[in-house]
Amino acid sequence: ATMGEHTLTNGQFQIYYWMGVYNFLSYNSSYLSSYGLNPAQSLDTQVCNVTGTQMTWQQYFVAEALAAWQRYQALTHEAEAVQYQLEEQYAEELKALQTNMDEIALEEGYANVKDMLADQMGGGCLFEDYESYMYQYYMGYLYYASLCDDLTVTDEEVKTFYDEHKADYEANGLTEDAISVD
C-alpha cells in the first residue's frame, strides 16, 4: 500500500495486522463466540459476519490493518505539517524504545528484539518497523486527541445538527430531550 510518498512495508503491515487482532481479542474476549471467532483456529478459515459481507476473519483484519495505517499515516502527515510536537514523556519513550524493547525481549525469554517481533508479529517484522509504528501511533493519536480537546460545541450547534438529522434520530428512538452537550 502507498499513501503519497509513503509505502507500507510488509513488517509495518504485520504490526498493524497483529495489533488489530490482539486488540480485537482483548476488547471482545467475552463476545468471541457470538462473533463466531475461535482464536485457536486459523483466521483464514472462519467466516466473519461483523461487516455484513461474507469474508474471513483474516480478510477483516487485513482491511482493518490497512485502514489503521492510512488513518495514522494521514494524522502523522497532518501533525508534521503543522509542526505538532510530542509531549516530552512520549518523545522520551520513543528515544528509549530500543533499550526498553531489549529489556522486554530478555524478560520474555527471547534472545533479542528481532526474535520477539518475529514470534509476535511475523518473520518480516524488524525493530525499525515497530519504531515506525510507535512514532505514527504517538504522533497520530496524540495529535488527534489534541484536536478533540480543542473542540467546543454549543447547545445551539447540537440543536441545529439534531434538527438537520431529526428523522434519523427519531427512527432510532432518540428525541431532542435525549441529547445535550454535557
Side-chain angles (χ1 to χ4, degrees):
T2 60
M3 190 170 180
E5 71 275 1
H6 302 283
T7 300
L8 177 64
T9 68
N10 183 51
Q12 291 166 344
F13 169 75
Q14 288 174 219
I15 294 170
Y16 278 97
Y17 178 87
W18 285 109
M19 293 301 277
V21 171
Y22 298 147
N23 286 335
F24 186 90
L25 294 175
S26 175
Y27 292 129
N28 297 289
S29 60
S30 300
Y31 307 104
L32 295 180
S33 62
S34 64
Y35 287 131
L37 176 59
N38 181 345
Q41 294 179 351
S42 178
L43 296 173
D44 66 345
T45 61
Q46 300 178 69
V47 176
C48 170
N49 295 317
V50 287
T51 63
T53 61
Q54 284 291 92
M55 66 172 51
T56 66
W57 278 101
Q58 182 181 57
Q59 291 168 323
Y60 171 80
F61 288 120
V62 164
E64 289 295 307
L66 292 172
W69 177 73
Q70 289 172 333
R71 249 187 331 273
Y72 282 107
Q73 189 64 53
L75 287 166
T76 299
H77 177 76
E78 181 64 25
E80 291 171 345
V82 298
Q83 299 180 341
Y84 175 77
Q85 296 294 310
L86 285 176
E87 294 174 28
E88 187 63 28
Q89 167 193 350
Y90 299 103
E92 290 300 318
E93 284 183 31
L94 287 174
K95 286 179 190 172
L97 189 60
Q98 179 72 61
T99 302
N100 292 340
M101 292 292 288
D102 288 339
E103 290 173 8
I104 291 169
L106 292 175
E107 288 171 9
E108 296 291 324
Y110 294 97
N112 52 49
V113 173
K114 182 179 179 183
D115 290 349
M116 180 177 70
L117 289 172
D119 183 49
Q120 294 179 0
M121 303 292 173
C125 182
L126 304 173
F127 172 75
E128 293 77 17
D129 297 316
Y130 188 75
E131 184 177 43
S132 173
Y133 168 82
M134 290 304 298
Y135 174 78
Q136 286 183 349
Y137 177 78
Y138 281 156
M139 284 296 282
Y141 176 77
L142 295 171
Y143 175 67
Y144 178 76
S146 74
L147 293 176
C148 290
D149 287 345
D150 292 342
L151 289 178
T152 55
V153 180
T154 66
D155 285 330
E156 294 80 27
E157 290 170 321
V158 171
K159 179 163 177 23
T160 299
F161 186 85
Y162 174 83
D163 289 342
E164 290 171 359
H165 300 90
K166 187 173 184 173
D168 294 329
Y169 283 111
E170 288 177 348
N172 289 296
L174 295 173
T175 64
E176 186 174 348
D177 296 333
I179 64 168
S180 72
V181 174
D182 300 328

